[in-house]
C-alpha cells in the first residue's frame, strides 16, 4: 500500500549498491542468501520438508517479524529519501527471490505475487542459485557447478553482520523478559538502558531504542555500578560455633547497613558479632540490582562472551505521559483498521481520560500525528458517550471515539 502511494517502480529507479545500504537491509539480504543456499541444498539432498520449514521461518521471523516491522517508519516517510528507496528496493528483491524459491512447491500463489511485483511469470525466471549449464538433456552427471555459481543472482553474504544482528535480536527479547519480570508494560518507555560488555553494537543502538522502547541506550563496561552487595548467613558453617546466638548473628549479617564494609572486615579477619569471629565461609555473598534497575545476562551464540542488558525502571511523569500516548495510539490505530479506513484517510478523534497521568502537549501531538487525526480533542473531565471504546491502562480508564474526517 505504501509503495503504491509512492508510485514505486523497481525498474524506474536505480537500486543502491548493497554495500551502501543501511545495515538492516544488508542483513536481510545476507540472511536471504544464507537461507536460499540451505534451501537449495535441501532440494539436492531430497530433504524438502526441512528446506521448506527453514524458508518459512525466514519469511515469518526474519522478514516479517523483524525486517518489515523495524522498517515501517522508513516506509512511512512522506519524502522519497535514499533510505526509503533502499528499503523499497531491498524488500522488492527479497520478495521476488522468495517467490522464485517457493515456486517449485507452491506454483500458483507465488506466480500471482511475482507477476504483481515484476510483470513476469515466476516460472519463466532463472533459479536464484544459478543454472548448471544447458538444461536440455541435462543429467546429474552433467551438472556444472562452476556455471551454476557464475549465473547465481543471490546478494552477498555477511556472516559477521548476521551474528551481530542475532545478538541484537537476543537483546531485544531479553529486554521484553526484563519488562515481564518487572511488571512493566511494553509501551511504557524506560529512560535509559545499558549494554554491558560484548561487541560494539553502537550501529544498532537506535534500532534497539525503538524495539525496547528505551529513550537512550549506551554501552557500559562496569556492571557493578548497577548492583549492590547482599550478605546472607551460611547456617551450616555458622551454627556450630554461634550456638544460641546464631539467629541474632544471622540478622546482623542480613541487615548490615554497609554490606561492603562488613565483607571487607570479614575478609580481613576483624569482624566479630556477639563475641563470635565471622569467617568468610560463614557468609554467602551475592549481587543484585540496585533499586530502580533491572538486568539480565545472556551468552553470545559462539559462547565466547556474556552480554548484560540493564534497564532503568524508574517512572516519571514524562514517561507515564509518553506510555499512555502509545497505548492510546495503538487503540486508535486498531479502530482505524476496524473502520477499514484508507492509509491516507484522516480522522476526527476524541479522547476521555480518568485517573490517568497528565498527557503532555507533545504527546497529544504525537497521538494526532501517528493516527492522522485532522482534529483531536482531549477531555480531562466529563463522561464519554456510550459509543466510545473504553480500555484500562495501569488503573487509568481511557475512552476513544474515532470517526472519518
Amino acid at each position: 500500500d505504501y509503495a503504491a502511494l509512492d508510485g514505486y517502480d523497481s525498474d524506474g529507479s536505480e537500486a543502491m549498491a548493497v554495500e551502501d545500504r543501511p545495515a538492516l537491509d544488508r542483513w536481510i539480504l545476507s540472511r536471504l542468501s544464507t537461507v536460499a543456499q540451505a534451501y537449495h541444498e535441501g532440494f539436492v539432498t531430497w530433504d524438502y520438508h526441512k528446506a521448506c520449514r527453514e524458508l518459512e521461518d525466514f519469511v515469518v521471523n526474519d522478514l516479517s517479524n523483524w525486517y518489515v516491522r523495524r522498517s515501517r517508519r522508513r516506509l512511512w516517510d512522506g519524502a522519497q529519501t535514499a533510505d526509503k528507496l533502499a528499503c523499497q528496493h531491498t524488500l522488492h528483491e527479497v520478495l521476488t527471490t522468495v517467490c522464485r524459491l517457493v515456486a517449485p512447491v507452491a506454483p500458483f500463489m507465488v506466480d500471482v505475487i511475482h507477476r504483481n511485483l515484476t510483470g513476469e511469470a515466476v516460472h519463466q525466471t532463472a533459479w536464484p542459485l544459478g543454472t548448471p549449464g544447458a538444461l536440455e538433456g541435462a543429467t546429474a552427471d552433467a551438472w556444472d557447478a562452476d556455471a551454476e555459481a557464475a549465473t547465481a543472482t543471490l546478494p552477498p553474504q555477511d556472516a559477521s553482520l548476521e551474528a551481530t544482528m542475532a545478538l541484537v535480536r537476543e537483546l531485544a527479547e531479553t529486554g521484553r523478559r526484563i519488562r515481564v519480570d518487572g511488571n512493566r508494560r511494553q509501551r511504557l518507555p524506560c529512560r535509559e538502558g545499558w549494554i554491558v560488555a560484548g561487541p560494539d553494537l553502537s550501529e544498532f543502538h537506535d534500532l534497539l531504542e525503538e524495539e525496547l522502547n528505551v529513550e537512550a541506550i549506551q554501552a557500559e563496561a562496569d556492571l557493578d555500578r548497577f548492583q549492590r552487595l547482599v550478605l546472607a548467613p551460611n547456617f551450616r558453617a555458622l551454627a556450630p560455633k554461634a550456638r544460641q546466638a546464631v539467629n541474632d548473628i544471622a540478622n546482623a549479617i542480613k541487615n548490615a547497613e554497609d554490606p561492603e564494609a562488613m565483607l571487607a572486615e570479614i575478609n580481613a579477619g576483624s569482624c566479630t558479632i556477639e563475641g563470635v569471629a565471622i569467617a568468610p565461609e560463614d557468609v554467602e555473598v551475592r549481587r543484585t540490582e540496585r533499586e530502580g534497575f533491572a538486568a539480565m545476562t545472556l551468552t553470545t551464540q559462539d559462547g565466547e562472551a556474556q552480554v548484560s542488558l540493564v534497564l532503568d525502571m524508574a517512572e516519571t511523569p514524562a514517561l507515564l505521559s509518553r506510555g499512555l500516548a502509545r497505548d492510546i495510539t495503538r487503540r486508535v490505530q486498531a479502530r482505524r483498521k476496524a473502520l477499514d479506513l484508507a492509509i491516507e484517510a484522516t480522522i476526527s478523534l476524541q479522547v476521555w481520560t480518568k485517573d490517568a497521568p497528565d498527557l503532555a502537549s507533545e504527546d497529544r501531538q504525537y497521538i494526532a500525528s501517528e493516527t492522522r487525526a485532522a482534529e483531536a480533542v482531549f477531555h480531562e473531565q466529563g463522561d464519554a458517550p456510550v459509543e466510545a471504546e473504553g480500555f484500562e491502562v495501569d488503573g487509568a480508564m481511557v475512552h476513544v471515539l474515532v470517526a472519518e474526517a
Side-chain angles (χ1 to χ4, degrees), residues 251-285:
N251 287 331
I253 292 173
K254 287 189 293 185
N255 300 319
E257 290 187 7
D258 190 343
E260 294 192 6
M262 178 178 281
L263 182 60
E265 291 179 2
I266 292 172
N267 289 332
S270 58
C271 182
T272 301
I273 304 175
E274 297 288 335
V276 176
I278 308 301
E281 61 270 18
D282 296 330
V283 296
E284 297 175 352
V285 182

Side-chain angles (χ1 to χ4, degrees), residues 235 237-250 273-274 276-278:
F235 284 100
L238 190 60
K241 63 182 181 181
R243 299 183 181 276
Q244 294 90 341
V246 65
N247 288 331
D248 291 338
I249 295 174
I273 304 175
E274 297 288 335
V276 176
I278 308 301

Side-chain angles (χ1 to χ4, degrees), residues 7-16 21 80 85-86 88-89:
Y8 170 73
D9 180 4
S10 60
D11 297 325
S13 56
E14 184 178 351
M16 183 186 298
R21 298 186 200 183
Q80 193 68 359
L85 200 56
Q88 290 173 332
H89 277 302

Side-chain angles (χ1 to χ4, degrees), residues 106-299:
F108 304 112
M109 174 190 69
V110 294
D111 189 46
V112 173
I113 298 172
H114 194 273
R115 285 175 186 270
N116 289 336
L117 289 169
T118 67
E120 296 180 278
V122 72
H123 306 291
Q124 294 178 322
T125 60
W127 184 241
L129 285 97
T131 304
L135 295 180
E136 186 176 352
T139 65
D141 294 335
W143 195 280
D144 188 337
D146 292 335
E148 178 188 44
T151 53
T153 57
L154 291 176
Q157 283 180 278
D158 188 336
S160 175
L161 178 58
E162 289 189 40
T164 300
M165 189 65 81
L167 176 57
V168 169
R169 295 176 73 179
E170 285 185 72
L171 285 168
E173 184 58 36
T174 298
R176 283 188 281 272
R177 290 199 298 269
I178 291 175
R179 284 179 173 273
V180 170
D181 291 350
N183 196 29
R184 188 187 188 96
R185 70 182 194 277
Q186 183 63 34
R187 289 179 183 82
L188 178 58
C190 292
R191 184 169 51 190
E192 289 184 277
W194 296 267
I195 298 172
V196 185
D200 180 13
L201 299 178
S202 56
E203 184 177 14
F204 300 101
H205 282 188
D206 288 347
L207 184 152
L208 277 170
E209 285 168 3
E210 279 195 33
E211 182 68 18
L212 294 173
N213 196 9
V214 175
E215 298 196 335
I217 285 183
Q218 306 171 45
E220 173 60 49
D222 184 15
L223 185 61
D224 289 347
R225 63 169 287 202
F226 307 106
Q227 297 182 326
R228 60 184 178 87
L229 193 70
V230 176
L231 299 180
N234 179 4
F235 284 100
R236 181 171 294 181
L238 190 60
K241 63 182 181 181
R243 299 183 181 276
Q244 294 90 341
V246 65
N247 288 331
D248 291 338
I249 295 174
N251 287 331
I253 292 173
K254 287 189 293 185
N255 300 319
E257 290 187 7
D258 190 343
E260 294 192 6
M262 178 178 281
L263 182 60
E265 291 179 2
I266 292 172
N267 289 332
S270 58
C271 182
T272 301
I273 304 175
E274 297 288 335
V276 176
I278 308 301
E281 61 270 18
D282 296 330
V283 296
E284 297 175 352
V285 182
R286 62 184 178 88
R287 288 188 172 274
T288 188
E289 284 75 40
R290 294 183 185 275
E291 188 72 26
F293 297 103
M296 280 190 181
T297 300
L298 58 91
T299 303

